[in-house]
Amino acid sequence: NQDIVHFKCKQPSKQVFSYIKKLDGTLPIFTYDIGNKGAKLFMISGYSNFLDYYLNLKKAERMHYEILQEFVPLKLFLDVEFPPDEYSDHDYIMEILLQTIKNMLENLSCESSKLEPLILDSSSEKKFSKHVIYQVFFKNIYHVKDFVSDLIYNLKNEYPDLVREGGICGVDNSVYNKNRNFRLFLSAKKNSNRFLYCENSSSSETQILCQSLVTAYRTTDDRIPENCKHIIKIDKEKDILQYKSIHSI
């Protein structure tokens, strides 16, 4: 079981990725802020050790993010944000968004069990904010970006009255770049009390955390808790969804 290794820097550095290459298999990278000037602590760890470490932290200590490495398989995810007064009916916006994604995934012959997303919420009176995560893997972050580009294209065509200056339904495909930080379940941004909680699952915190992790790695079994193997591990190349956008935004 891979111990947690720490690196202190502002961005994932060559030192971090050089360390990963020395190990057998690709390991996940997590990070959290340790100061007000952009300094971060990057953590390289197997899943078992990280889950034990993270879930035993005090609530106020959870300010953690997953690093979305450039060429690692990723789940389909969206970070949906907009001012509460931008749309009058938030439930309607989410219904349109989720149904459009479901239709697109059905057209790709995805299993029905994977069409219902995990939804994490950290909304406040000043911001509507949700993470939407599907248990569908794409080859890398650029394939996810292509899918979301098509999603935006479809939404604009079918619901032009919902288009706003900042986009549509709070969806922005500019977030799909290498080494992005994606906030973890139960974490808040530094100096904020908007923690991410799950709104549509009664599973244990361990199970929800595993389901909410976006990246996937080909690692040895002893790095993955028994009850999480089916969620995290990719065993066959065919399980990774290949996707190419057919529209340009």
Side-chain angles (χ1 to χ4, degrees):
N1 198 355
Q2 177 62 41
D3 292 334
I4 297 177
V5 179
H6 297 85
F7 294 89
K8 183 179 178 181
C9 48
K10 286 191 175 183
Q11 296 294 334
S13 64
K14 291 182 180 179
Q15 184 184 15
V16 174
F17 293 110
S18 295
Y19 180 84
I20 290 177
K21 289 180 180 179
K22 293 178 182 179
L23 300 173
D24 179 22
T26 303
L27 287 175
I29 306 174
F30 303 96
T31 185
Y32 64 92
D33 294 324
I34 56 175
N36 295 320
K37 296 183 179 180
K40 297 179 182 294
L41 195 65
F42 290 87
M43 308 167 62
I44 300 173
S45 171
Y47 287 109
S48 297
N49 276 349
F50 180 79
L51 293 178
D52 289 342
Y53 153 81
Y54 182 73
L55 292 175
N56 282 295
L57 290 174
K58 296 179 181 178
K59 179 179 178 180
E61 296 174 327
R62 291 176 178 158
M63 297 175 288
H64 291 64
Y65 298 80
E66 184 179 9
I67 299 296
L68 308 184
Q69 297 181 58
E70 186 173 12
F71 294 114
V72 171
L74 294 176
K75 294 175 185 175
L76 173 60
F77 71 95
L78 294 95
D79 189 353
V80 183
E81 289 189 348
F82 54 80
D85 59 354
E86 190 165 275
Y87 297 101
S88 59
D89 190 338
H90 300 164
D91 290 338
Y92 175 64
I93 294 300
M94 288 301 296
E95 180 182 342
I96 288 174
L97 180 61
L98 299 183
Q99 186 59 53
T100 304
I101 295 173
K102 183 177 181 179
N103 293 343
M104 292 174 66
L105 291 176
E106 285 179 337
N107 289 336
L108 295 171
S109 300
C110 284
E111 298 175 19
S112 57
S113 61
K114 296 181 178 181
L115 298 179
E116 298 302 323
L118 185 73
I119 301 177
L120 308 181
D121 181 79
S122 65
S123 299
S124 68
E125 293 181 358
K126 296 182 178 180
K127 179 182 285 188
F128 179 91
S129 180
K130 295 182 187 290
H131 286 184
V132 180
I133 303 161
Y134 289 82
Q135 306 305 305
V136 176
F137 289 102
F138 285 68
K139 185 176 182 180
N140 56 48
I141 197 162
Y142 302 115
H143 285 243
V144 178
K145 182 174 184 176
D146 284 342
F147 181 93
V148 175
S149 293
D150 278 357
L151 169 64
I152 294 172
Y153 178 91
N154 292 338
L155 288 170
K156 286 182 176 179
N157 279 344
E158 295 178 30
Y159 306 97
D161 57 315
L162 297 180
V163 175
R164 299 292 186 270
E165 184 177 346
I168 182 168
C169 297
V171 178
D172 181 6
N173 71 342
S174 66
V175 303
Y176 302 98
N177 297 310
K178 66 178 181 179
N179 300 332
R180 290 291 292 203
N181 294 350
F182 194 61
R183 185 154 49 108
L184 294 183
F185 168 61
L186 300 178
S187 274
K189 296 179 180 179
K190 188 173 179 62
N191 300 321
S192 169
N193 61 358
R194 293 194 304 110
F195 293 87
L196 272 171
Y197 294 112
C198 185
E199 70 171 44
N200 67 334
S201 175
S202 58
S203 299
S204 68
E205 288 187 345
T206 299
Q207 291 173 317
I208 294 173
L209 178 58
C210 290
Q211 289 177 324
S212 67
L213 291 174
V214 173
T215 46
Y217 301 89
R218 294 176 177 82
T219 58
T220 56
D221 287 351
D222 62 354
R223 296 180 190 166
I224 303 175
E226 282 294 329
N227 64 343
C228 303
K229 286 182 183 177
H230 68 287
I231 298 172
I232 295 176
K233 190 175 181 183
I234 294 180
D235 294 308
K236 300 177 183 178
E237 187 69 24
K238 68 180 182 180
D239 289 335
I240 303 172
L241 182 62
Q242 306 283 326
Y243 191 83
K244 289 294 184 182
S245 178
I246 57 174
H247 301 119
S248 58
I249 306 301

